[in-house]
């Protein structure tokens, strides 16, 4: 929980800086703040589409609390249960309909599709819930830096 709060404070500072740069560089478009996270801890069964564990459900609630003041106005997940369950608390609290971008084997194409969905949300703060191997490509597709894939037990990072 403390790690999530620290990440959130850093993320908000980065977001404000990025929004300032974005507004100055392209005055015609309202800036989009994108918050990218990996889904919370998942169970092992069923292997093709497992739900969150109890710890994952608690992390999803903690994410909602951590982002309470972030002004999230749109939520994007994959079709997989673990991403939808991670996003559910914040989407329900805000009354948002979760957008689904299908994830398949082509991660690069998926990342581009997520970036295209994000770009339609001009002027909004968008939460994207991805997977360990999709978070980095999504960030890159949005013009951010290249990052490594997240390890199997990394769930607490918040990227803005």
């Amino acid at each position: 929980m403390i790690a999530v709060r620290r990440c959130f404070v850093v993320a908000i500072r980065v977001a404000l800086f990025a929004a300032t740069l974005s507004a100055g560089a392209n005055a015609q478009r309202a800036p989009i703040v994108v918050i990218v996270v990996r889904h919370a801890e998942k169970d092992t069964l069923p292997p093709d589409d497992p739900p969150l564990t109890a710890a994952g459900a608690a992390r999803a609630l903690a994410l909602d609390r951590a982002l309470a003041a972030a002004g999230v106005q749109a939520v994007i997940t994959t079709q997989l249960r673990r991403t939808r369950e991670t996003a559910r608390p914040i989407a329900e609290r805000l009354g948002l309909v979760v957008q689904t971008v299908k994830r398949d084997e082509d991660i690069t194409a998926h990342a581009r599709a997520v970036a295209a969905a994000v770009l339609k949300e001009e002027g909004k703060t968008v939460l994207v819930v991805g997977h360990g191997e999709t978070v980095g490509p999504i960030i890159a597709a949005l013009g951010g830096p290249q990052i490594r894939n997240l390890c199997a037990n990394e769930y607490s990072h918040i990227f803005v």
Side-chain angles (χ1 to χ4, degrees):
M1 181 67 172
I2 292 172
V4 171
R5 285 187 188 145
R6 283 188 199 138
C7 287
F8 182 65
V9 170
V10 170
I12 291 301
R13 289 180 184 150
V14 171
L16 293 173
F17 178 71
T20 303
L21 288 178
S22 198
N26 188 357
Q28 292 86 3
R29 288 188 56 113
I32 303 169
V33 176
V34 187
I35 302 167
V36 184
V37 300
R38 178 189 185 192
H39 62 78
E41 292 89 337
K42 64 178 178 155
D43 208 336
T44 55
L45 297 173
D48 59 330
D49 194 12
L52 295 181
T53 62
R59 186 177 301 279
L61 290 172
L63 178 66
D64 178 34
R65 286 190 302 272
L67 298 181
V72 172
Q73 298 162 292
V75 178
I76 299 172
T77 70
T78 67
Q79 78 279 12
L80 297 172
R81 189 172 176 182
R82 57 194 174 266
T83 61
R84 292 181 291 119
E85 288 180 359
T86 300
R88 182 177 297 137
I90 195 166
E92 286 181 355
R93 179 177 55 80
L94 297 172
L96 299 173
V97 175
V98 175
Q99 299 176 51
T100 302
V101 176
K102 190 172 187 302
R103 178 184 175 237
D104 56 23
E105 296 302 315
D106 188 344
I107 292 173
T108 302
H110 170 70
R112 284 194 302 259
V114 171
V118 166
L119 292 175
K120 292 178 184 175
E121 301 298 331
E122 185 174 341
K124 294 183 180 178
T125 297
V126 182
L127 171 64
V128 176
V129 181
H131 301 269
E133 66 280 359
T134 67
V135 167
I138 290 168
I139 291 169
L142 289 165
Q146 296 285 333
I147 65 165
R148 64 174 173 72
N149 286 348
L150 301 177
C151 293
N153 61 351
E154 287 184 282
Y155 297 100
S156 64
H157 298 292
I158 298 176
F159 301 93
V160 179

